[in-house]
Amino acid sequence: MSTGTKETSRSLYVFDSKPPIRKALPISLQHIMAMFLGTVTVPIVVAGAAGADPATKTLMIQYSLMMSALATLIQAFPLGPVGSKLPIIFCAGFTCVPVFTPIATQYGLAGAFGAQILCAVVTILLGFCVGKLHKFFPTVVTGTIILAIGLSLYPIALKYMAGNASSPSYGQLNNWIVAFITLAAVLIFNLLGKGVVKMASILLGAVVGYIVAVCMGMVSFDGVISAGWIAIPKPFFFGAPVFDVSMVLPVVLITVVNVMQSVGDMTGTTVGGFDREPTSKELTGGVLASGLATLLGAVFGVPAVSSYSQNVGIVSMNKVVSRRVITVASVIMLALGVVPKFSALVSTLPAPVIGGGTLIVFGMITLTGLKLVTSEPLTARNSTIVGVSIALAMGLSTLEGTQALENFPSLVQTLLTKPVVVAGVMSFVLNLIAPNKTVEEEAKERAELDAK
């Protein structure tokens, strides 16, 4: 009896377990790899829109990594009702960037963080409501949202594989070579490996890709040499927040989208890691924690946090849900933020390596959505909801940057080209208005029609 309890308590597949660090660390590093490039890119984009200097961008990156650690720890170790108690990563995310960048351009960083305070307040208010609204998000809706999230991530992975669209070497052949070597290594470790090797397949594949990239001269360590040793965050370092009434509508809309994505990612985590749907308490706590972290972020100069679908995919793939794994990842994130040399070293990881390593992760997110959608009988009604929602979501996303939507207001253009928004709204509305009929009722209708 005692032996069984001891084994369970050290299992990677039990949330409250304490597996040895040697087993937890490889999985933790995979989570870091999946979130790192996105987390450091968001503050760069927002700071760039505000015309900030390189030193300011560097500080924002450090602060973002620190806040990511705090946001994730609150999720894993709830503070009363605040926190989902799920193995989910929350970091500075891209969801709010389309709204916050024009605000930063017009009002500077002080304006962006002023708008973020409103974002945090709205998130917290929605957090108190999301548990009660859970009944309006059955599996056909949440599954459609997760499916759209997974499908929408493929272009991101492929752009990373090509070298990252903002890089002057974007699309060069050496980027694709490194990316496919990384992907091949991940597949070999995942399909042929056993035990820790199989679970850490993404990390091991990234190591192979990184070594190849170093040999091909694609990695520079100049930034590591010039980076400092310690960075301590200061409240309102970028100025006191300012706010304009014109920010209200776009901020509220994008906040709803951010919360919708968080609900989808928390559902993906419980379905992929625990084979169940999230409880109302978990959803409420998760959104409240996101709001609190976003509010603290506005104080310390960190963009609004979002759940990271990439990391949800890792949980779905390896089924590792131990809180210790997330805790170790958070400690590493904190170290990355406090010690600039540490983060500078991790930032040398080339984009093709990240793209090649995470492509399979994005596939797992898609499969999690499919698993949810098909967990109930796929009636004609449910097929219509999923089919129409995904068709519109992915179809409209291909029109981004074209003239097809130029007659719509800029905010509407942004929302229409975000798959999670379109899929979420369409599946939610269709689920409300479409008559709910069972497979038997639909078969009876067809039989009656055939008899006439």
Side-chain angles (χ1 to χ4, degrees), residues 26-362:
I27 317 300
S28 301
L29 291 175
Q30 287 189 162
H31 280 292
I32 297 298
M33 190 188 77
M35 52 69 65
F36 186 81
L37 189 57
T39 300
V40 302
T41 301
V42 172
I44 291 174
V45 172
V46 175
D53 56 34
T56 299
K57 293 180 182 179
T58 301
L59 280 176
M60 284 185 65
I61 291 172
Q62 307 304 141
Y63 294 174
S64 294
L65 290 166
M66 294 180 204
M67 187 54 62
S68 297
L70 178 61
T72 301
L73 286 172
I74 294 175
Q75 295 291 350
F77 298 90
L79 303 173
V82 181
S84 62
K85 203 175 181 181
L86 292 174
I88 188 168
I89 301 286
F90 271 75
C91 301
F94 281 100
T95 307
C96 295
V97 167
V99 168
F100 280 70
T101 47
I103 292 176
T105 301
Q106 185 173 357
Y107 298 98
L109 288 176
F113 293 125
Q116 188 168 313
I117 292 176
L118 173 61
C119 175
V121 171
V122 174
T123 301
I124 292 172
L125 292 176
L126 289 173
F128 287 112
C129 303
V130 73
K132 298 177 181 178
L133 296 175
H134 189 205
K135 61 182 178 181
F136 295 107
F137 290 87
T139 54
V140 67
V141 175
T142 53
T144 301
I145 294 173
I146 296 170
L147 184 57
I149 290 173
L151 293 173
S152 66
L153 288 172
Y154 296 147
I156 296 176
L158 290 171
K159 287 177 181 178
Y160 282 167
M161 291 174 75
N164 201 355
S166 61
S167 171
S169 64
Y170 183 62
Q172 290 185 4
L173 187 59
N174 60 342
N175 291 327
W176 289 107
I177 292 173
V178 170
F180 280 111
I181 289 175
T182 304
L183 177 59
V186 171
L187 291 174
I188 291 172
F189 288 126
N190 184 263
L191 297 176
L192 303 180
K194 296 181 180 179
V196 176
V197 172
K198 183 179 181 68
M199 289 186 297
S201 58
I202 299 174
L203 176 64
L204 295 175
V207 170
V208 172
Y210 188 80
I211 293 173
V212 173
V214 170
C215 295
M216 295 178 66
M218 297 171 61
V219 179
S220 172
F221 296 100
D222 293 342
V224 180
I225 298 172
S226 61
W229 284 102
I230 298 293
I232 304 298
K234 300 176 183 178
F236 302 115
F237 180 81
F238 305 110
V242 298
F243 188 80
D244 189 272
V245 69
S246 63
M247 303 177 186
V248 174
L249 181 59
V251 169
V252 169
L253 288 175
I254 205 66
T255 301
V256 173
V257 173
N258 197 27
V259 170
M260 188 182 300
Q261 177 173 327
S262 296
V263 170
D265 283 336
M266 282 187 279
T267 303
T269 299
T270 57
V271 172
F274 299 100
D275 293 320
R276 64 170 177 82
E277 291 194 54
T279 64
S280 296
K281 182 179 179 181
E282 288 169 338
L283 293 178
T284 297
V287 176
L288 287 176
S290 175
L292 176 61
T294 297
L295 183 60
L296 291 174
V299 174
F300 289 101
V302 178
V305 302
S306 299
S307 54
Y308 263 42
S309 302
Q310 300 95 309
N311 298 87
V312 175
I314 292 176
V315 173
S316 299
M317 184 175 74
N318 58 29
K319 304 295 181 182
V320 173
V321 297
S322 173
R323 176 160 53 185
R324 173 163 286 189
V325 170
I326 298 299
T327 303
V328 172
S330 298
V331 172
I332 295 172
M333 282 190 276
L334 187 60
L336 289 171
V338 174
V339 184
K341 277 193 181 296
F342 195 6
S343 59
L345 178 62
V346 177
S347 67
T348 62
L349 192 67
V353 175
I354 296 176
T358 56
L359 186 65
I360 187 174
V361 172
F362 298 162

Side-chain angles (χ1 to χ4, degrees), residues 136-137 140-146 148-149 257 260-261 385 389-390 393 418-431:
F136 295 107
F137 290 87
V140 67
V141 175
T142 53
T144 301
I145 294 173
I146 296 170
I149 290 173
V257 173
M260 188 182 300
Q261 177 173 327
I385 292 173
S389 300
I390 293 298
K418 300 302 176 187
V420 65
V421 178
V422 178
V425 172
M426 283 301 301
S427 60
F428 178 79
V429 172
L430 290 175
N431 179 66

